[in-house]
Amino acid sequence: MKLSQYTIVEEVDNEILLYNSVYSAIVLLTQSEFHDLQSFINNDNLEKTELFSYLENQNIIVSDEIDEEARLVSVANEKRYNPSQVTFTIAPTMNCNFSCFYCYEQGFRQHTMTTETAKKTAEFILKNVLPHQSLKVIWYGGEPLMGLNSIKAISEIIMKNEKKYKNFNAEIVSNGYLLTEKVAQLLKSYHVNYAQITLDGDQINHDSRRCLTNGKGTFARILQNIV
Ligand code: SF4
């Protein structure tokens, strides 16, 4: 066995945190358990305990013969070429209320989709989905909640044309700052059943990186929105 190349090891309060960044698995081990794990990895003759089987199930450790990169490509291709589902990633706006120093958007034009473009986007989606296919839309940005009108417009056109696909689901990748309960209810009514919200560590670390355009921290409000 070997530690997955995607497992990050960090000491936290004298315990060992193992995090697999592909499968989002998190396990906290005592120093002694981690020591046993290292011995197990380095010695093929040691017995696989219940804990090590669990770590394997969580992909924290993997068999030596597994090529993890090839496995990732295979899973990605399986999703990409799955004929029963078609996925569209849509940025209703490139605008954002945050000013993260590492943002890939630096230098991009921060345009928001017009009503006309929203209508054409919905028509494009409906033209490219088949009646037997599941339709998935991922709302992305910029901060997609700053383009809520386009999310509404596109979702409503899709939902009015339900005969053109088998079922419709959506996800959103958001910074979470505008995700009030009312907005969450609205998104739910537009079939958004999964939200990926970014917190960059604890409040001090998060607020030093993910601040509003006026420099104000955002951690407290995001936490209030999602708990
Ligand atoms: S929240 Fe996302 S899009 Fe907005 S500035 Fe930060 S990294 Fe960029």
Side-chain angles (χ1 to χ4, degrees), residues 46-75:
L46 286 183
E47 192 192 336
K48 193 194 277 182
T49 63
E50 209 174 303
L51 173 64
F52 302 147
S53 297
Y54 176 74
L55 294 177
E56 189 180 6
N57 281 338
Q58 298 297 310
N59 291 290
I60 298 283
I61 54 176
V62 291
S63 293
D64 288 322
E65 59 274 13
I66 289 182
D67 178 339
E68 293 190 272
E69 273 180 46
R71 186 168 71 170
L72 254 190
V73 170
S74 158
V75 170

mmCIF file of all heavy atoms in Angstrom, residues 46-75:
data_model
loop_
_atom_site.group_PDB
_atom_site.id
_atom_site.type_symbol
_atom_site.label_atom_id
_atom_site.label_comp_id
_atom_site.label_asym_id
_atom_site.label_seq_id
_atom_site.Cartn_x
_atom_site.Cartn_y
_atom_site.Cartn_z
ATOM 1 N N LEU A 46 2.822 -6.724 7.099
ATOM 2 C CA LEU A 46 1.957 -6.413 8.248
ATOM 3 C C LEU A 46 0.481 -6.599 7.896
ATOM 4 O O LEU A 46 0.071 -6.364 6.753
ATOM 5 C CB LEU A 46 2.192 -4.970 8.717
ATOM 6 C CG LEU A 46 3.501 -4.711 9.463
ATOM 7 C CD1 LEU A 46 3.575 -3.270 9.936
ATOM 8 C CD2 LEU A 46 3.641 -5.649 10.663
ATOM 9 N N GLU A 47 -0.271 -7.011 8.906
ATOM 10 C CA GLU A 47 -1.696 -7.312 8.688
ATOM 11 C C GLU A 47 -2.503 -6.026 8.474
ATOM 12 O O GLU A 47 -2.236 -4.996 9.105
ATOM 13 C CB GLU A 47 -2.212 -8.018 9.948
ATOM 14 C CG GLU A 47 -3.575 -8.659 9.771
ATOM 15 C CD GLU A 47 -4.141 -9.061 11.136
ATOM 16 O OE1 GLU A 47 -3.335 -9.261 12.071
ATOM 17 O OE2 GLU A 47 -5.355 -9.140 11.248
ATOM 18 N N LYS A 48 -3.514 -6.102 7.544
ATOM 19 C CA LYS A 48 -4.358 -4.929 7.307
ATOM 20 C C LYS A 48 -5.454 -4.878 8.377
ATOM 21 O O LYS A 48 -6.329 -5.742 8.419
ATOM 22 C CB LYS A 48 -5.002 -5.030 5.922
ATOM 23 C CG LYS A 48 -5.624 -3.718 5.474
ATOM 24 C CD LYS A 48 -6.537 -3.894 4.295
ATOM 25 C CE LYS A 48 -5.796 -3.926 2.989
ATOM 26 N NZ LYS A 48 -6.727 -4.044 1.843
ATOM 27 N N THR A 49 -5.395 -3.897 9.244
ATOM 28 C CA THR A 49 -6.385 -3.796 10.328
ATOM 29 C C THR A 49 -7.662 -3.137 9.796
ATOM 30 O O THR A 49 -7.706 -2.663 8.655
ATOM 31 C CB THR A 49 -5.849 -2.925 11.474
ATOM 32 O OG1 THR A 49 -5.646 -1.614 10.937
ATOM 33 C CG2 THR A 49 -4.550 -3.452 12.053
ATOM 34 N N GLU A 50 -8.658 -3.083 10.672
ATOM 35 C CA GLU A 50 -9.928 -2.445 10.304
ATOM 36 C C GLU A 50 -9.691 -0.979 9.914
ATOM 37 O O GLU A 50 -10.270 -0.468 8.964
ATOM 38 C CB GLU A 50 -10.861 -2.508 11.525
ATOM 39 C CG GLU A 50 -12.329 -2.562 11.146
ATOM 40 C CD GLU A 50 -13.184 -2.770 12.385
ATOM 41 O OE1 GLU A 50 -12.982 -3.761 13.101
ATOM 42 O OE2 GLU A 50 -14.020 -1.894 12.621
ATOM 43 N N LEU A 51 -8.806 -0.320 10.680
ATOM 44 C CA LEU A 51 -8.522 1.095 10.405
ATOM 45 C C LEU A 51 -7.896 1.261 9.019
ATOM 46 O O LEU A 51 -8.299 2.138 8.248
ATOM 47 C CB LEU A 51 -7.576 1.669 11.473
ATOM 48 C CG LEU A 51 -7.084 3.096 11.198
ATOM 49 C CD1 LEU A 51 -8.241 4.094 11.195
ATOM 50 C CD2 LEU A 51 -6.039 3.528 12.207
ATOM 51 N N PHE A 52 -6.969 0.399 8.652
ATOM 52 C CA PHE A 52 -6.305 0.542 7.358
ATOM 53 C C PHE A 52 -7.285 0.232 6.211
ATOM 54 O O PHE A 52 -7.201 0.844 5.146
ATOM 55 C CB PHE A 52 -5.061 -0.356 7.279
ATOM 56 C CG PHE A 52 -4.060 -0.070 8.367
ATOM 57 C CD1 PHE A 52 -3.277 -1.062 8.912
ATOM 58 C CD2 PHE A 52 -3.918 1.229 8.857
ATOM 59 C CE1 PHE A 52 -2.363 -0.782 9.924
ATOM 60 C CE2 PHE A 52 -3.015 1.523 9.868
ATOM 61 C CZ PHE A 52 -2.243 0.515 10.406
ATOM 62 N N SER A 53 -8.196 -0.737 6.453
ATOM 63 C CA SER A 53 -9.219 -1.012 5.426
ATOM 64 C C SER A 53 -10.094 0.224 5.231
ATOM 65 O O SER A 53 -10.454 0.585 4.101
ATOM 66 C CB SER A 53 -10.132 -2.167 5.855
ATOM 67 O OG SER A 53 -9.382 -3.324 5.985
ATOM 68 N N TYR A 54 -10.425 0.872 6.354
ATOM 69 C CA TYR A 54 -11.246 2.087 6.276
ATOM 70 C C TYR A 54 -10.500 3.173 5.488
ATOM 71 O O TYR A 54 -11.080 3.827 4.612
ATOM 72 C CB TYR A 54 -11.575 2.582 7.695
ATOM 73 C CG TYR A 54 -12.339 3.871 7.708
ATOM 74 C CD1 TYR A 54 -13.689 3.917 7.364
ATOM 75 C CD2 TYR A 54 -11.707 5.070 8.044
ATOM 76 C CE1 TYR A 54 -14.388 5.106 7.349
ATOM 77 C CE2 TYR A 54 -12.402 6.266 8.035
ATOM 78 C CZ TYR A 54 -13.731 6.279 7.689
ATOM 79 O OH TYR A 54 -14.425 7.466 7.670
ATOM 80 N N LEU A 55 -9.206 3.337 5.779
ATOM 81 C CA LEU A 55 -8.421 4.358 5.079
ATOM 82 C C LEU A 55 -8.336 4.047 3.583
ATOM 83 O O LEU A 55 -8.330 4.947 2.747
ATOM 84 C CB LEU A 55 -7.011 4.451 5.684
ATOM 85 C CG LEU A 55 -6.953 4.963 7.126
ATOM 86 C CD1 LEU A 55 -5.520 4.932 7.652
ATOM 87 C CD2 LEU A 55 -7.510 6.370 7.250
ATOM 88 N N GLU A 56 -8.324 2.760 3.246
ATOM 89 C CA GLU A 56 -8.304 2.377 1.828
ATOM 90 C C GLU A 56 -9.659 2.702 1.178
ATOM 91 O O GLU A 56 -9.715 3.224 0.070
ATOM 92 C CB GLU A 56 -7.984 0.879 1.695
ATOM 93 C CG GLU A 56 -7.728 0.487 0.255
ATOM 94 C CD GLU A 56 -7.410 -0.997 0.110
ATOM 95 O OE1 GLU A 56 -7.502 -1.750 1.106
ATOM 96 O OE2 GLU A 56 -7.082 -1.395 -1.026
ATOM 97 N N ASN A 57 -10.741 2.412 1.913
ATOM 98 C CA ASN A 57 -12.071 2.745 1.383
ATOM 99 C C ASN A 57 -12.224 4.236 1.131
ATOM 100 O O ASN A 57 -12.935 4.659 0.231
ATOM 101 C CB ASN A 57 -13.171 2.342 2.379
ATOM 102 C CG ASN A 57 -13.444 0.873 2.317
ATOM 103 O OD1 ASN A 57 -13.149 0.235 1.317
ATOM 104 N ND2 ASN A 57 -14.000 0.324 3.393
ATOM 105 N N GLN A 58 -11.564 5.025 1.949
ATOM 106 C CA GLN A 58 -11.644 6.485 1.811
ATOM 107 C C GLN A 58 -10.613 7.029 0.807
ATOM 108 O O GLN A 58 -10.494 8.234 0.625
ATOM 109 C CB GLN A 58 -11.393 7.152 3.174
ATOM 110 C CG GLN A 58 -12.403 6.803 4.250
ATOM 111 C CD GLN A 58 -13.794 7.273 3.885
ATOM 112 O OE1 GLN A 58 -13.997 8.426 3.520
ATOM 113 N NE2 GLN A 58 -14.771 6.379 3.954
ATOM 114 N N ASN A 59 -9.838 6.112 0.202
ATOM 115 C CA ASN A 59 -8.780 6.486 -0.753
ATOM 116 C C ASN A 59 -7.678 7.343 -0.137
ATOM 117 O O ASN A 59 -6.960 8.047 -0.841
ATOM 118 C CB ASN A 59 -9.367 7.216 -1.974
ATOM 119 C CG ASN A 59 -10.187 6.290 -2.823
ATOM 120 O OD1 ASN A 59 -9.639 5.408 -3.467
ATOM 121 N ND2 ASN A 59 -11.501 6.461 -2.808
ATOM 122 N N ILE A 60 -7.538 7.259 1.195
ATOM 123 C CA ILE A 60 -6.411 7.935 1.851
ATOM 124 C C ILE A 60 -5.134 7.147 1.529
ATOM 125 O O ILE A 60 -4.077 7.719 1.287
ATOM 126 C CB ILE A 60 -6.629 7.977 3.389
ATOM 127 C CG1 ILE A 60 -7.880 8.785 3.746
ATOM 128 C CG2 ILE A 60 -5.380 8.481 4.119
ATOM 129 C CD1 ILE A 60 -7.742 10.276 3.674
ATOM 130 N N ILE A 61 -5.257 5.800 1.535
ATOM 131 C CA ILE A 61 -4.163 4.948 1.072
ATOM 132 C C ILE A 61 -4.685 4.117 -0.107
ATOM 133 O O ILE A 61 -5.899 3.866 -0.197
ATOM 134 C CB ILE A 61 -3.615 4.016 2.193
ATOM 135 C CG1 ILE A 61 -4.737 3.179 2.825
ATOM 136 C CG2 ILE A 61 -2.887 4.812 3.247
ATOM 137 C CD1 ILE A 61 -4.231 2.166 3.862
ATOM 138 N N VAL A 62 -3.772 3.734 -0.989
ATOM 139 C CA VAL A 62 -4.195 2.955 -2.171
ATOM 140 C C VAL A 62 -3.183 1.831 -2.416
ATOM 141 O O VAL A 62 -2.037 1.913 -1.960
ATOM 142 C CB VAL A 62 -4.291 3.849 -3.444
ATOM 143 C CG1 VAL A 62 -5.423 4.835 -3.357
ATOM 144 C CG2 VAL A 62 -2.980 4.557 -3.708
ATOM 145 N N SER A 63 -3.602 0.823 -3.177
ATOM 146 C CA SER A 63 -2.686 -0.279 -3.517
ATOM 147 C C SER A 63 -1.535 0.247 -4.368
ATOM 148 O O SER A 63 -1.729 1.165 -5.173
ATOM 149 C CB SER A 63 -3.415 -1.343 -4.337
ATOM 150 O OG SER A 63 -4.371 -1.949 -3.558
ATOM 151 N N ASP A 64 -0.370 -0.363 -4.193
ATOM 152 C CA ASP A 64 0.823 0.082 -4.921
ATOM 153 C C ASP A 64 0.618 0.094 -6.432
ATOM 154 O O ASP A 64 1.140 0.947 -7.137
ATOM 155 C CB ASP A 64 2.009 -0.851 -4.600
ATOM 156 C CG ASP A 64 2.498 -0.623 -3.184
ATOM 157 O OD1 ASP A 64 2.502 0.539 -2.752
ATOM 158 O OD2 ASP A 64 2.848 -1.603 -2.509
ATOM 159 N N GLU A 65 -0.164 -0.885 -6.923
ATOM 160 C CA GLU A 65 -0.270 -1.019 -8.386
ATOM 161 C C GLU A 65 -1.238 -0.011 -9.024
ATOM 162 O O GLU A 65 -1.322 0.101 -10.249
ATOM 163 C CB GLU A 65 -0.645 -2.461 -8.793
ATOM 164 C CG GLU A 65 -1.944 -2.998 -8.255
ATOM 165 C CD GLU A 65 -1.786 -3.608 -6.855
ATOM 166 O OE1 GLU A 65 -0.762 -3.408 -6.190
ATOM 167 O OE2 GLU A 65 -2.735 -4.276 -6.439
ATOM 168 N N ILE A 66 -1.982 0.742 -8.187
ATOM 169 C CA ILE A 66 -2.953 1.688 -8.771
ATOM 170 C C ILE A 66 -2.234 2.916 -9.332
ATOM 171 O O ILE A 66 -1.443 3.561 -8.652
ATOM 172 C CB ILE A 66 -4.009 2.110 -7.724
ATOM 173 C CG1 ILE A 66 -4.940 0.931 -7.452
ATOM 174 C CG2 ILE A 66 -4.816 3.320 -8.204
ATOM 175 C CD1 ILE A 66 -6.055 1.216 -6.491
ATOM 176 N N ASP A 67 -2.541 3.212 -10.610
ATOM 177 C CA ASP A 67 -2.027 4.432 -11.241
ATOM 178 C C ASP A 67 -3.116 5.496 -11.022
ATOM 179 O O ASP A 67 -4.128 5.523 -11.712
ATOM 180 C CB ASP A 67 -1.795 4.163 -12.737
ATOM 181 C CG ASP A 67 -1.306 5.410 -13.466
ATOM 182 O OD1 ASP A 67 -1.515 6.527 -12.960
ATOM 183 O OD2 ASP A 67 -0.712 5.255 -14.546
ATOM 184 N N GLU A 68 -2.904 6.341 -10.038
ATOM 185 C CA GLU A 68 -3.973 7.276 -9.642
ATOM 186 C C GLU A 68 -4.297 8.307 -10.723
ATOM 187 O O GLU A 68 -5.447 8.713 -10.868
ATOM 188 C CB GLU A 68 -3.593 7.978 -8.346
ATOM 189 C CG GLU A 68 -3.546 7.031 -7.166
ATOM 190 C CD GLU A 68 -3.403 7.793 -5.871
ATOM 191 O OE1 GLU A 68 -2.274 8.070 -5.474
ATOM 192 O OE2 GLU A 68 -4.450 8.120 -5.284
ATOM 193 N N GLU A 69 -3.291 8.724 -11.471
ATOM 194 C CA GLU A 69 -3.552 9.712 -12.527
ATOM 195 C C GLU A 69 -4.433 9.093 -13.608
ATOM 196 O O GLU A 69 -5.399 9.697 -14.068
ATOM 197 C CB GLU A 69 -2.236 10.200 -13.121
ATOM 198 C CG GLU A 69 -1.687 11.378 -12.323
ATOM 199 C CD GLU A 69 -0.381 11.884 -12.896
ATOM 200 O OE1 GLU A 69 -0.299 12.058 -14.124
ATOM 201 O OE2 GLU A 69 0.539 12.059 -12.097
ATOM 202 N N ALA A 70 -4.084 7.840 -13.998
ATOM 203 C CA ALA A 70 -4.861 7.160 -15.037
ATOM 204 C C ALA A 70 -6.299 6.944 -14.550
ATOM 205 O O ALA A 70 -7.260 7.098 -15.312
ATOM 206 C CB ALA A 70 -4.219 5.828 -15.380
ATOM 207 N N ARG A 71 -6.447 6.627 -13.263
ATOM 208 C CA ARG A 71 -7.792 6.406 -12.715
ATOM 209 C C ARG A 71 -8.612 7.697 -12.764
ATOM 210 O O ARG A 71 -9.790 7.681 -13.105
ATOM 211 C CB ARG A 71 -7.678 5.881 -11.280
ATOM 212 C CG ARG A 71 -9.011 5.492 -10.677
ATOM 213 C CD ARG A 71 -8.879 4.707 -9.400
ATOM 214 N NE ARG A 71 -8.422 5.512 -8.295
ATOM 215 C CZ ARG A 71 -8.408 5.107 -7.028
ATOM 216 N NH1 ARG A 71 -8.817 3.887 -6.731
ATOM 217 N NH2 ARG A 71 -7.991 5.880 -6.073
ATOM 218 N N LEU A 72 -7.959 8.824 -12.451
ATOM 219 C CA LEU A 72 -8.664 10.111 -12.497
ATOM 220 C C LEU A 72 -9.138 10.440 -13.910
ATOM 221 O O LEU A 72 -10.273 10.867 -14.118
ATOM 222 C CB LEU A 72 -7.706 11.227 -12.057
ATOM 223 C CG LEU A 72 -7.883 11.849 -10.700
ATOM 224 C CD1 LEU A 72 -7.005 13.081 -10.570
ATOM 225 C CD2 LEU A 72 -9.331 12.241 -10.455
ATOM 226 N N VAL A 73 -8.237 10.212 -14.879
ATOM 227 C CA VAL A 73 -8.582 10.497 -16.278
ATOM 228 C C VAL A 73 -9.756 9.627 -16.700
ATOM 229 O O VAL A 73 -10.705 10.081 -17.351
ATOM 230 C CB VAL A 73 -7.355 10.253 -17.200
ATOM 231 C CG1 VAL A 73 -7.746 10.306 -18.664
ATOM 232 C CG2 VAL A 73 -6.266 11.271 -16.907
ATOM 233 N N SER A 74 -9.711 8.350 -16.278
ATOM 234 C CA SER A 74 -10.776 7.424 -16.653
ATOM 235 C C SER A 74 -12.134 7.872 -16.072
ATOM 236 O O SER A 74 -13.153 7.870 -16.761
ATOM 237 C CB SER A 74 -10.373 6.031 -16.163
ATOM 238 O OG SER A 74 -11.467 5.213 -16.036
ATOM 239 N N VAL A 75 -12.126 8.283 -14.797
ATOM 240 C CA VAL A 75 -13.385 8.742 -14.174
ATOM 241 C C VAL A 75 -13.894 10.000 -14.883
ATOM 242 O O VAL A 75 -15.087 10.143 -15.172
ATOM 243 C CB VAL A 75 -13.165 9.017 -12.661
ATOM 244 C CG1 VAL A 75 -14.361 9.720 -12.044
ATOM 245 C CG2 VAL A 75 -12.882 7.722 -11.919
#
